[in-house]
Amino acid sequence: MQGQSQQQAYDRGITIFSPDGRLYQVEYAREAVKRGTASVGIRAEDGVVLAADKRARSPLMEPASIEKLHKADDHVGVASAGHVADARQLIDFARRQAQVNRLRYGEAMGIETLTKTITDHIQQYTQIGGARPFGVALIVGGIEGGEPRLFETDPSGTPYEWQALSIGSDRSDLREYLEAEYEEGISTDEAVGLALDTLARTNDDGLTPEGVGVATITVDDEQYAEVPAEELEAILADRDLLATDEEDDESTDADEE
């Protein structure tokens, strides 16, 4: 009983390390990310692809209101997994920082610099009393100096750079699939197909154009662009991933995405 009460004490304080060096609130925030629907990021030879599972919880819900993919700047896109409200706060912060950089220096903000600015902001909430960590992970992708870059942010405030990654539910299974199927030098079009193949592994019934979102940023134009539903439907049908049942499944949690 005494050991349990001690753990509860460390559990309550975000600023207190446990004897084994853990911050329980940060670990709980990671669990919140795992409960969110999956998002995938892939770095191609000529661009970056972001894809997200955005199935509606009810047929009465407007699919356009489900926000999983975000434009942070012309050359930067962000995909999220975890608490939607936390994601919106971080996206707004990222947009402000990107615009401040353009006004101050007259140039687009680097993807690595933007990611580390976001993670510095996240990290502050792991050491401030009276606050909690952000219960969301982000995939930040874009073009920097003519090269595609892809990063992940963690609730602890740690940035990681990836060639391909997944966040949210079933992360381990999806990452294993990406490790097996990803090849360096693939094109953006091939990366779109791989991203959809990866997301399809979380849904045995297949994917619908309304239940998935895909965005690309290519080296040629360095512009964030979401793939239209009509084009997605054609890609899904071509890869035999199109769901036969049009009704979307319920997502994992009403407060998470």
Side-chain angles (χ1 to χ4, degrees), residues 27-28 109 121 133 147 165 185 255:
E27 295 185 16
Y28 297 158
M109 194 172 192
H121 182 65
E147 296 292 332
L165 78 151
D255 295 328

Side-chain angles (χ1 to χ4, degrees), residues 17-120:
F17 284 98
S18 70
D20 55 352
R22 299 165 63 184
L23 289 173
Y24 286 107
Q25 290 292 326
V26 172
E27 295 185 16
Y28 297 158
R30 291 195 180 108
E31 290 300 318
V33 173
K34 292 179 182 179
R35 290 173 59 86
T37 53
S39 293
V40 174
I42 298 175
R43 189 180 74 193
E45 182 73 17
D46 55 345
V48 171
V49 173
L50 302 175
D53 182 347
K54 46 181 289 187
R55 287 170 286 171
R57 296 188 295 271
S58 166
L60 300 178
M61 180 178 289
E62 286 289 348
S65 67
I66 302 174
E67 297 181 316
K68 290 277 290 180
L69 299 176
H70 311 262
K71 178 181 177 181
D73 200 353
D74 290 340
H75 67 303
V76 187
V78 180
S80 65
H83 283 287
V84 180
D86 289 9
R88 289 178 61 86
Q89 289 295 311
L90 291 178
I91 296 299
D92 288 345
F93 175 80
R95 288 169 175 164
R96 289 195 300 270
Q97 295 303 310
Q99 292 306 307
V100 166
N101 191 85
R102 283 187 180 273
L103 291 171
R104 181 175 294 167
Y105 301 110
E107 62 182 17
M109 194 172 192
I111 310 303
E112 182 175 3
T113 302
L114 177 60
T115 302
K116 289 185 176 180
T117 301
I118 297 171
T119 52
D120 286 347

